[in-house]
Amino acid sequence: VSTQSTWGFSMLKKGEEDKEDDTSENKELTSEEKEMLKKLEKGELDLADTKKTGPINKDPKYASYTEMGYEVDLKKGLIYRDNEMISRQRKVILFLLKSIGSNIMRGKSLMNVSLPVTIFDKASLLERSASDYIYAPVFAEKMFEAEDPVEKMKYAVTLTIASLHMNISQKKPFNPILGETYQGTIGNLNVYCEQTSHHPPISHLLLDCDHYTIDAKHQFTLSTYPNSAVMKCVGYRRIVLKDAARTTYLIDFPWAECTGFMFGNRVLSYKGNIRIRDKTNKIYAQVRLQAGEKSFAEGMRKTEARNDFFKGLITKNKALLKDMSRKAFYSKDMLSYIEGNWIDYVMIDGDKFWEIDKQLPGTLARIQDPLPSDSKFRMDLQTLITSTEEEAQKQKEIMEEIQRKDRKLREQFGPKKQNSLMLPKNNSLHAVSYTHLTLPTKAQVQISVVAVSLKKK
């Protein structure tokens, strides 16, 4: 099943999704990858091989990528250059190969595999998920201010694409504990996140201000192959403008692939489609992120294609979205043409709506007095920040053992429930009942299971 077909608001009917989207699921190993896998298991590969493939762009406007350990390669796109972290990650994979077996290199998700803190970021996945929306005060606000529905859609597209580079850290975040929360702000936008399911791991997000509301339900998967890893997020994302029409947008995100996972250059790219649907005005946007493409301007010159390029369109005719062929971009039903590269800029109808060094994002900040269940109070995360990796690993193992015991209790005594990733049919924030696990405090580990009900105010 493709990424898009798991979303409750997929704009195409079942079975009409592009075949390109399916490449992240049930990926068949090539003969070359099978040979790589054999060499990996025998320890015959040179894991330190990180040869450069093209000229590196040292433009200061890419400083945000440099801070995350990336360099912008003018041929390949984003290349990860933190060799110390790459070496740590590869050692972990080799250890898992020996202890678990080669199945971890055949598409098995690592989200539920216990990994050492040596490859961890000093943040929870909830906080990282919230960072996806730090462009909202810039472009969602313009969506609210615009009067023309097509203009609103242009800013919805810009918000979605500009946000792609905000959560691309190669360091693994801490998996949230059931009931773990995060509370923060992005300018005047209030941010609320909570882990609502332990297995499968599912998070809910709610962002709210005077002019719009964003709510989302995320389930992340990370699947590994001999020399690549695929990250997907299934669930739903929705923006509701607080205008007279209560204009509502539903958004599909693409999937990310990281090649050079075990040897060679570590290159990050997005693939698949971004689909945005304006339910109120029946306007649709689709953007295809596809390696080997060129922009219209680049297509006129003898330049090598880059894997960060995208193209798309805005239309009222859903039929144009089925194949996104060249013919579609010359159709009279196309309202706007979209192109650019997600690392750098978004251009719609010849106008640049976003440039990485021009329209700057907001800042995600944790509130001063969050709930006791906030991720900042996790003992493993606190210890990683203030102490050593060895001590943090001990705290992580203690918390994982508690979670395993708690899960057994829920399975034995708790009510049977299903965690649907589909969008609510009534298009409103709906009530959800689930088991809630409090987080360890600084002084001691306390576990209590309480019933919680979230209801629309």
Side-chain angles (χ1 to χ4, degrees), residues 11-18 275 322:
M11 290 183 285
L12 302 181
K13 294 179 181 179
K14 186 176 181 181
E16 291 182 347
E17 292 82 6
D18 295 311
R275 293 189 176 108
K322 291 183 179 180

Side-chain angles (χ1 to χ4, degrees), residues 36-50:
M36 292 176 188
L37 189 55
K38 291 179 182 179
K39 290 183 178 180
L40 276 172
E41 292 170 332
K42 295 177 180 179
E44 296 176 355
L45 284 176
D46 179 12
L47 301 184
D49 177 21
T50 55

Side-chain angles (χ1 to χ4, degrees), residues 17 37 39 48 77 104 147 165 202 209 235 241 253 260 279 323 325 337 346 356 361-362 367 372 386 409 426 439:
E17 292 82 6
L37 189 55
K39 290 183 178 180
I104 66 167
E147 296 182 359
H165 75 284
I202 297 175
C209 66
L241 302 181
F253 270 44
K279 289 188 63 178
D323 55 12
S325 63
Y337 176 70
V346 174
I356 192 168
I367 67 171
T386 61
L409 289 174
N426 59 3
L439 293 179

